[in-house]
Amino acid sequence: MNDQCIFCAIAERSAPAEVVQADDHTIAFLDISPATRGHTLVIPRRHSDDVFDISADDIERVARMAKQIAGRMPAALSCDGVNLLNSSGSAAWQTVHHFHMHVIPRYDNDPLKLPWTPGALATEDLPQIAEVLR
Ligand code: 5GP
Ligand code: ZN
């Protein structure tokens, strides 16, 4: 429990949220400022800041719950697709520093846009980039 963390407060139910699913390790609730109708966040109950910090067990549990909720969305919300998204670090748009997976229902013709431009970067150095990442 991080005293300053709004998602820790939601996890221990001392702050309100529209909870969608919960178990001993993981809780999912509606985003208070949804990108689309049904936008849900899945978090580990145990505080971790981001993908660098979270345990393998916790990220596995988050992924499992995200998959279960995503799987219900087409029938429940009549959505046409789903984005799973995690932002880790302010440079990656993270604003709440308690790990969370966004589960974002997508609708044909919704207003969301791909945030990068395919083909905008040169690709000659792909072999070197792969090398440093191996
Ligand atoms: P991030 O920008 O870190 O990837 O995502 C944080 C998300 O948390 C945002 O989509 C934001 O709307 C949501 N959020 C921030 N504060 C609260 C809150 O108090 N309750 C709920 N349900 N969502 C929140
Ligand atoms: Zn927290």
Side-chain angles (χ1 to χ4, degrees):
M1 173 73 190
N2 175 336
D3 285 346
Q4 306 302 316
C5 177
I6 182 62
F7 285 1
C8 282
I10 289 173
E12 67 158 26
R13 308 306 298 269
S14 62
E18 289 296 336
V19 174
V20 171
Q21 189 171 342
D23 62 26
D24 287 350
H25 296 281
T26 316
I27 182 166
F29 52 92
L30 295 183
D31 195 297
I32 202 165
S33 182
T36 64
R37 182 169 173 270
H39 182 172
T40 300
L41 302 172
V42 185
I43 67 169
R45 287 184 183 276
R46 178 170 48 198
H47 182 97
S48 48
D49 291 346
D50 50 34
V51 73
F52 310 111
D53 194 29
I54 192 170
S55 70
D57 283 346
D58 270 349
I59 198 170
E60 184 177 320
R61 294 177 184 119
V62 167
R64 286 179 183 279
M65 188 173 284
K67 175 172 169 58
Q68 289 169 3
I69 293 167
R72 296 200 291 271
M73 284 178 163
L77 299 170
S78 298
C79 65
D80 304 296
V82 171
N83 284 119
L84 298 183
L85 173 70
N86 164 256
S87 300
S88 283
S90 299
W93 308 325
Q94 187 176 14
T95 59
V96 176
H97 294 267
H98 178 131
F99 182 95
H100 50 282
M101 184 82 76
H102 296 263
V103 185
I104 305 174
R106 298 300 307 277
Y107 302 89
D108 290 340
N109 304 314
D110 73 34
L112 304 196
K113 298 281 178 229
L114 191 68
W116 65 87
T117 307
L121 279 187
T123 51
E124 299 86 40
D125 58 349
L126 293 186
Q128 292 93 315
I129 295 168
E131 187 60 35
V132 298
L133 288 173
R134 278 180 200 125

